Amino acid sequence: MWFSGPLGAGDLERGSSVGLSNLKPAKGSTAKRKRVGRGPGSGLGKTSGRGEKGQKSRSGFSHRDGFEGGQMPLHRRVPKRGFHNRSRKEFAEVNLQSLEIFDAGTIVTPELLLKRGMIRKLRDGLKILAKGDLTKVLTVRAHKFSAKAQERIAGLGGKAEVLEA
């Protein structure tokens, strides 16, 4: 006789064996399928849980996002202003003054800045800006540099290496 799963108290004494022929799902783990439109006794007869009349009660009904039942939708009622460039790249920006915390000779990478919590997200890349002063020789690897930032890093004897996006 083999057993599968835990036995209840007295299972063996009653002579019942646990096997593939008498396995059942755990109590409460399965629910009966909802059968709608099968008479008033089912609780879901007549309108089958769809309420009374109207577009949403009909078969085949589906609506698009933003659909308001034929009323002019909000995204079309609100006036639009300006231009939104869909292909715009957003860079995580770091100023030179923020790089002062690193020791001289450090290789500053986007991963290091993420790890240190200096940038939250890399987005489309990292850009180094020239705000503030830098007094240490660093090798900075980023996707973009402002011209002034590149000039200042090189002026101290450091390197500004451009990464491929």
Side-chain angles (χ1 to χ4, degrees), residues 33-103:
R33 189 169 63 91
K34 188 188 284 189
R35 296 181 71 225
V36 297
R38 294 294 182 272
S42 69
L44 287 166
K46 195 181 172 220
T47 54
S48 302
R50 288 172 178 255
E52 305 284 339
K53 295 185 186 172
Q55 189 176 17
K56 287 164 90 175
S57 72
R58 313 292 185 210
S59 72
F61 167 76
S62 66
H63 74 283
R64 300 180 308 280
D65 278 349
F67 183 67
E68 298 183 19
Q71 171 176 295
M72 186 63 68
L74 182 68
H75 66 88
R76 289 185 60 197
R77 290 195 305 261
V78 175
K80 314 294 182 278
R81 305 247 326 136
F83 172 76
H84 298 282
N85 186 353
R86 289 176 165 197
S87 60
R88 177 177 177 228
K89 300 253 187 269
E90 279 216 26
F91 289 88
E93 297 169 346
V94 174
N95 286 302
L96 283 179
Q97 66 188 17
S98 307
L99 303 180
E100 272 296 308
I101 65 164
F102 295 108
D103 297 327

